[in-house]
Amino acid sequence: MKLDSMYQDVILDHYKNPHGRGLRDGDAEVHHVNPTCGDEITLRVRLDGDTIEDVSYEGQGCSISQASASVLNELLVGKELAEARKIQETFLELMQSKGRAEPDDAMEEVLEDAIAFAGVSKYPARVKCALLSWMAWKDATAQALGETAGGKTA
């Protein structure tokens, strides 16, 4: 089986069998929209100290945006914030690579199923779809922690 085909299967599986779908109680909620294509997501995050207790979402859009939200849930729930941020930063790096990043074993170990989005990075219009839930998670987590884009609030 070709790697691209395997990656497509992972994305389709997450799209058809989403993890974390359905809004549950959370410490913060954000709503993000990709105006380019109309994808949207409402995402809630619940923290227990420095641990991500839950990430839930409702959304609509293409298979890439919805599968990415499912992968995010699978990867981040139960993780410490520092590790979750490392995963988010690694995913962002992959998505911003414009298809030039060669996923290696270390990246695959960090990203697990999210490595399936490597091919998406070749298509700038699709990158926004893949990043929609990740940017929403970043904003919701900052909100839950009482942070702003410039740092902590007073």
Side-chain angles (χ1 to χ4, degrees):
M1 178 185 276
K2 283 183 61 180
L3 197 56
D4 285 344
S5 176
M6 183 180 77
Y7 285 171
Q8 288 175 353
D9 289 346
V10 169
I11 291 170
L12 284 174
D13 184 53
H14 274 278
Y15 177 67
K16 292 176 182 175
N17 305 294
H19 300 247
R21 189 170 192 85
L23 290 173
R24 295 177 292 280
D25 288 339
D27 297 323
E29 176 181 303
V30 297
H31 182 79
H32 280 211
V33 176
N34 179 350
T36 308
C37 64
D39 290 352
E40 60 182 275
I41 190 164
T42 300
L43 184 138
R44 289 181 185 161
V45 65
R46 187 171 66 237
L47 304 175
D48 182 9
D50 284 341
T51 302
I52 299 166
E53 190 172 297
D54 191 32
V55 176
S56 62
Y57 67 93
E58 275 298 332
Q60 60 185 24
C62 68
S63 59
I64 291 171
S65 72
Q66 298 304 293
S68 186
S70 174
V71 169
L72 177 146
N73 170 276
E74 186 177 81
L75 280 175
L76 301 188
V77 171
K79 299 282 194 304
E80 296 290 319
L81 281 170
E83 184 179 2
R85 285 183 172 133
K86 178 184 177 195
I87 294 167
Q88 188 267 335
E89 289 165 7
T90 303
F91 187 72
L92 181 61
E93 178 183 315
L94 177 66
M95 289 296 95
Q96 292 177 336
S97 73
K98 298 181 181 172
R100 291 188 297 265
E102 289 294 325
D104 57 15
D105 290 343
M107 185 179 276
E108 191 169 347
E109 187 175 315
V110 171
L111 293 178
E112 298 177 22
D113 276 358
I115 203 76
F117 293 88
V120 172
S121 70
K122 298 174 191 171
Y123 307 98
R126 306 308 299 206
V127 167
K128 289 181 180 183
C129 301
L131 287 175
L132 184 65
S133 59
W134 294 83
M135 296 300 104
W137 173 80
K138 186 177 178 182
D139 288 351
T141 300
Q143 187 181 85
L145 293 170
E147 298 174 351
T148 63
K152 293 204 178 240
T153 55

